[in-house]
Amino acid sequence: MARSALARKGSATRDRILNAAILRFARSSYESVGLRDIAADAGVDVAYVHRCFGSKERLFAESLEATMEPAKLFAGPPGDIADFLAKQIFARDGGRGRNTVGPLDIIIRSLSSVEASGVLREFTRDNIIRPLARTIGQKTDTRAAVIASLLAGIGILRNVLRIDPLTEVEGGELETLIAQIINGVLAADCSSG
Amino acid sequence: MARSALARKGSATRDRILNAAILRFARSSYESVGLRDIAADAGVDVAYVHRCFGSKERLFAESLEATMEPAKLFAGPPGDIADFLAKQIFARDGGRGRNTVGPLDIIIRSLSSVEASGVLREFTRDNIIRPLARTIGQKTDTRAAVIASLLAGIGILRNVLRIDPLTEVEGGELETLIAQIINGVLAADCSSG
DNA sequence: GCTGTTGGTCAACAGCGGTTGACATAAATC
DNA sequence: GATTTATGTCAACCGCTGTTGACCAACAGC
């Protein structure tokens, strides 16, 4: 029931708006993305975007969650977690009509945004650091946070600043190096100075 | 000559403006910092800030350069470069009246800013990646870029997002871990897959 | 067919942003 | 002392922002 033609149309436009928001937030920072841009992409009025999601912040949070799909991020076996994470930097999602958005894109674009930092802090802590710490089975979160920092840093220098040696494609020397570093962090001996 | 009372007063206010800009840019992202804020801090009119530095972008670039003092960043001997870099994350400059601004603060706050990325790209490439690559004597810039990414990532998660295990003070477990990682990157064998 | 709800638009608000040009004031030059 | 130069201000422009309330049209339930 309730899947009336009206309701179906409503959720369809909502999806269109969310999709447009994801694409925008994956390419520019929180402040730089305007609700009017998103509305235009989705073919609706600004007011409706606002009415649909309550506020820009909530639309951002939903976009973030939709791209990350947090549950699936750290589903791989702990053994090859390093390779898995190294691949995440290069991973892009071409499906669902939205043209190629990586799982870290949104988080990276707005990482230094003041207005978005509230949403991002919670999300990063709960959906990245903690699951990662659980996966690698460390008693402190420190190593997980350092690994997350490495991924974030590479993501920014690669995708936002477009620093040259980092703009390689998947599978190259860079990916190998990153995996090695992560393994090194996991194996590091912290007790000895 | 030319150090007339008028000229002296002029460059004094210019310094005051630059100082105010540094403090602002070290605490908020490029987009979030308004010229009116800076002007108010320095006790002058907005118009004069603009006339003094030409544009917001140029004021940002000057603030960046003043905080980083690029020449001194990689002056240490190549031997203990890892420890030196690990310390940079925690370093703060309390001198010159400006209350405690770290050398990486400005770059980190605006790292994902679209408008600032032009300035930041050039600066990062010329004043961080290349000198770092020169210091560690690698033929490719890849490792230098990865190390820079690590520093940037930690800086953001620590100072912007304020992720818990990263907010330690200098000299703790974290600093040791970072230095170990950097040493690992420098020693990594890239030829073997 | 009438009513209530839901999808969606329109226009406007109120505030902010960087930027600009005209103007005042004070010092330097001659 | 008059002219020029430089410091600094004032007010406004123009475009953008998220947000709001009034409004229209189409469908659902009775």
Side-chain angles (χ1 to χ4, degrees), chain B residues 167-182:
Chain B
T167 53
E168 284 182 19
V169 293
E170 192 177 352
E173 175 197 11
L174 177 61
E175 192 178 325
T176 309
L177 182 57
I178 294 169
Q180 282 181 1
I181 296 170
I182 296 175

PDB file of all heavy atoms in Angstrom, chain B residues 167-182:
ATOM      1  N   THR B 167      44.518  14.122  19.370  1.00  0.00           N
ATOM      2  CA  THR B 167      44.647  15.437  20.011  1.00  0.00           C
ATOM      3  C   THR B 167      45.662  15.431  21.153  1.00  0.00           C
ATOM      4  O   THR B 167      45.633  16.297  22.008  1.00  0.00           O
ATOM      5  CB  THR B 167      43.285  15.913  20.535  1.00  0.00           C
ATOM      6  OG1 THR B 167      42.723  14.894  21.355  1.00  0.00           O
ATOM      7  CG2 THR B 167      42.335  16.202  19.403  1.00  0.00           C
ATOM      8  N   GLU B 168      46.550  14.464  21.128  1.00  0.00           N
ATOM      9  CA  GLU B 168      47.613  14.411  22.134  1.00  0.00           C
ATOM     10  C   GLU B 168      48.542  15.617  22.034  1.00  0.00           C
ATOM     11  O   GLU B 168      48.562  16.311  21.031  1.00  0.00           O
ATOM     12  CB  GLU B 168      48.483  13.165  21.899  1.00  0.00           C
ATOM     13  CG  GLU B 168      47.879  11.869  22.332  1.00  0.00           C
ATOM     14  CD  GLU B 168      48.873  10.735  22.080  1.00  0.00           C
ATOM     15  OE1 GLU B 168      50.076  11.022  21.937  1.00  0.00           O
ATOM     16  OE2 GLU B 168      48.437   9.589  22.027  1.00  0.00           O
ATOM     17  N   VAL B 169      49.323  15.804  23.073  1.00  0.00           N
ATOM     18  CA  VAL B 169      50.349  16.838  23.029  1.00  0.00           C
ATOM     19  C   VAL B 169      51.638  16.262  22.455  1.00  0.00           C
ATOM     20  O   VAL B 169      51.735  15.062  22.205  1.00  0.00           O
ATOM     21  CB  VAL B 169      50.629  17.411  24.441  1.00  0.00           C
ATOM     22  CG1 VAL B 169      49.424  18.168  24.934  1.00  0.00           C
ATOM     23  CG2 VAL B 169      51.004  16.305  25.396  1.00  0.00           C
ATOM     24  N   GLU B 170      52.584  17.128  22.284  1.00  0.00           N
ATOM     25  CA  GLU B 170      53.867  16.729  21.706  1.00  0.00           C
ATOM     26  C   GLU B 170      54.574  15.687  22.566  1.00  0.00           C
ATOM     27  O   GLU B 170      54.428  15.656  23.778  1.00  0.00           O
ATOM     28  CB  GLU B 170      54.743  17.980  21.569  1.00  0.00           C
ATOM     29  CG  GLU B 170      55.983  17.778  20.738  1.00  0.00           C
ATOM     30  CD  GLU B 170      56.742  19.083  20.598  1.00  0.00           C
ATOM     31  OE1 GLU B 170      56.199  20.116  21.021  1.00  0.00           O
ATOM     32  OE2 GLU B 170      57.868  19.062  20.081  1.00  0.00           O
ATOM     33  N   GLY B 171      55.316  14.825  21.886  1.00  0.00           N
ATOM     34  CA  GLY B 171      56.194  13.914  22.596  1.00  0.00           C
ATOM     35  C   GLY B 171      55.585  12.594  23.030  1.00  0.00           C
ATOM     36  O   GLY B 171      56.251  11.768  23.633  1.00  0.00           O
ATOM     37  N   GLY B 172      54.326  12.369  22.709  1.00  0.00           N
ATOM     38  CA  GLY B 172      53.667  11.154  23.162  1.00  0.00           C
ATOM     39  C   GLY B 172      53.840   9.988  22.217  1.00  0.00           C
ATOM     40  O   GLY B 172      54.682   9.993  21.319  1.00  0.00           O
ATOM     41  N   GLU B 173      52.989   9.004  22.433  1.00  0.00           N
ATOM     42  CA  GLU B 173      53.004   7.791  21.622  1.00  0.00           C
ATOM     43  C   GLU B 173      52.784   8.112  20.146  1.00  0.00           C
ATOM     44  O   GLU B 173      53.401   7.528  19.264  1.00  0.00           O
ATOM     45  CB  GLU B 173      51.894   6.864  22.133  1.00  0.00           C
ATOM     46  CG  GLU B 173      51.686   5.610  21.322  1.00  0.00           C
ATOM     47  CD  GLU B 173      50.335   4.961  21.624  1.00  0.00           C
ATOM     48  OE1 GLU B 173      49.492   5.612  22.298  1.00  0.00           O
ATOM     49  OE2 GLU B 173      50.111   3.846  21.178  1.00  0.00           O
ATOM     50  N   LEU B 174      51.891   9.080  19.904  1.00  0.00           N
ATOM     51  CA  LEU B 174      51.542   9.433  18.530  1.00  0.00           C
ATOM     52  C   LEU B 174      52.737   9.926  17.730  1.00  0.00           C
ATOM     53  O   LEU B 174      52.966   9.505  16.604  1.00  0.00           O
ATOM     54  CB  LEU B 174      50.441  10.503  18.560  1.00  0.00           C
ATOM     55  CG  LEU B 174      49.992  11.058  17.222  1.00  0.00           C
ATOM     56  CD1 LEU B 174      49.424   9.961  16.354  1.00  0.00           C
ATOM     57  CD2 LEU B 174      48.963  12.158  17.434  1.00  0.00           C
ATOM     58  N   GLU B 175      53.500  10.804  18.354  1.00  0.00           N
ATOM     59  CA  GLU B 175      54.653  11.361  17.654  1.00  0.00           C
ATOM     60  C   GLU B 175      55.657  10.281  17.292  1.00  0.00           C
ATOM     61  O   GLU B 175      56.202  10.260  16.189  1.00  0.00           O
ATOM     62  CB  GLU B 175      55.301  12.435  18.528  1.00  0.00           C
ATOM     63  CG  GLU B 175      56.322  13.257  17.780  1.00  0.00           C
ATOM     64  CD  GLU B 175      56.923  14.348  18.666  1.00  0.00           C
ATOM     65  OE1 GLU B 175      56.189  14.894  19.512  1.00  0.00           O
ATOM     66  OE2 GLU B 175      58.116  14.624  18.513  1.00  0.00           O
ATOM     67  N   THR B 176      55.861   9.365  18.215  1.00  0.00           N
ATOM     68  CA  THR B 176      56.748   8.240  17.946  1.00  0.00           C
ATOM     69  C   THR B 176      56.255   7.420  16.761  1.00  0.00           C
ATOM     70  O   THR B 176      57.018   7.067  15.855  1.00  0.00           O
ATOM     71  CB  THR B 176      56.827   7.322  19.188  1.00  0.00           C
ATOM     72  OG1 THR B 176      57.121   8.116  20.332  1.00  0.00           O
ATOM     73  CG2 THR B 176      57.886   6.263  19.006  1.00  0.00           C
ATOM     74  N   LEU B 177      54.954   7.153  16.780  1.00  0.00           N
ATOM     75  CA  LEU B 177      54.363   6.354  15.709  1.00  0.00           C
ATOM     76  C   LEU B 177      54.531   7.026  14.354  1.00  0.00           C
ATOM     77  O   LEU B 177      54.899   6.387  13.362  1.00  0.00           O
ATOM     78  CB  LEU B 177      52.878   6.130  16.013  1.00  0.00           C
ATOM     79  CG  LEU B 177      52.079   5.275  15.019  1.00  0.00           C
ATOM     80  CD1 LEU B 177      52.710   3.913  14.854  1.00  0.00           C
ATOM     81  CD2 LEU B 177      50.635   5.148  15.481  1.00  0.00           C
ATOM     82  N   ILE B 178      54.294   8.330  14.319  1.00  0.00           N
ATOM     83  CA  ILE B 178      54.409   9.069  13.062  1.00  0.00           C
ATOM     84  C   ILE B 178      55.837   9.026  12.531  1.00  0.00           C
ATOM     85  O   ILE B 178      56.072   8.782  11.342  1.00  0.00           O
ATOM     86  CB  ILE B 178      53.957  10.525  13.269  1.00  0.00           C
ATOM     87  CG1 ILE B 178      52.465  10.566  13.596  1.00  0.00           C
ATOM     88  CG2 ILE B 178      54.230  11.345  12.018  1.00  0.00           C
ATOM     89  CD1 ILE B 178      51.987  11.924  14.071  1.00  0.00           C
ATOM     90  N   ALA B 179      56.773   9.239  13.433  1.00  0.00           N
ATOM     91  CA  ALA B 179      58.172   9.191  13.016  1.00  0.00           C
ATOM     92  C   ALA B 179      58.527   7.807  12.465  1.00  0.00           C
ATOM     93  O   ALA B 179      59.230   7.691  11.453  1.00  0.00           O
ATOM     94  CB  ALA B 179      59.075   9.545  14.186  1.00  0.00           C
ATOM     95  N   GLN B 180      58.018   6.781  13.112  1.00  0.00           N
ATOM     96  CA  GLN B 180      58.268   5.406  12.635  1.00  0.00           C
ATOM     97  C   GLN B 180      57.710   5.197  11.238  1.00  0.00           C
ATOM     98  O   GLN B 180      58.339   4.588  10.383  1.00  0.00           O
ATOM     99  CB  GLN B 180      57.636   4.389  13.602  1.00  0.00           C
ATOM    100  CG  GLN B 180      58.444   4.151  14.869  1.00  0.00           C
ATOM    101  CD  GLN B 180      57.786   3.115  15.768  1.00  0.00           C
ATOM    102  OE1 GLN B 180      56.737   2.574  15.434  1.00  0.00           O
ATOM    103  NE2 GLN B 180      58.401   2.849  16.910  1.00  0.00           N
ATOM    104  N   ILE B 181      56.494   5.732  11.037  1.00  0.00           N
ATOM    105  CA  ILE B 181      55.864   5.567   9.721  1.00  0.00           C
ATOM    106  C   ILE B 181      56.693   6.242   8.644  1.00  0.00           C
ATOM    107  O   ILE B 181      56.967   5.672   7.587  1.00  0.00           O
ATOM    108  CB  ILE B 181      54.446   6.150   9.726  1.00  0.00           C
ATOM    109  CG1 ILE B 181      53.555   5.371  10.693  1.00  0.00           C
ATOM    110  CG2 ILE B 181      53.853   6.136   8.324  1.00  0.00           C
ATOM    111  CD1 ILE B 181      52.224   6.010  10.938  1.00  0.00           C
ATOM    112  N   ILE B 182      57.100   7.469   8.925  1.00  0.00           N
ATOM    113  CA  ILE B 182      57.874   8.217   7.938  1.00  0.00           C
ATOM    114  C   ILE B 182      59.172   7.489   7.613  1.00  0.00           C
ATOM    115  O   ILE B 182      59.554   7.343   6.445  1.00  0.00           O
ATOM    116  CB  ILE B 182      58.160   9.638   8.447  1.00  0.00           C
ATOM    117  CG1 ILE B 182      56.838  10.403   8.595  1.00  0.00           C
ATOM    118  CG2 ILE B 182      59.088  10.378   7.490  1.00  0.00           C
ATOM    119  CD1 ILE B 182      56.986  11.775   9.211  1.00  0.00           C
TER     120      ILE B 182
END
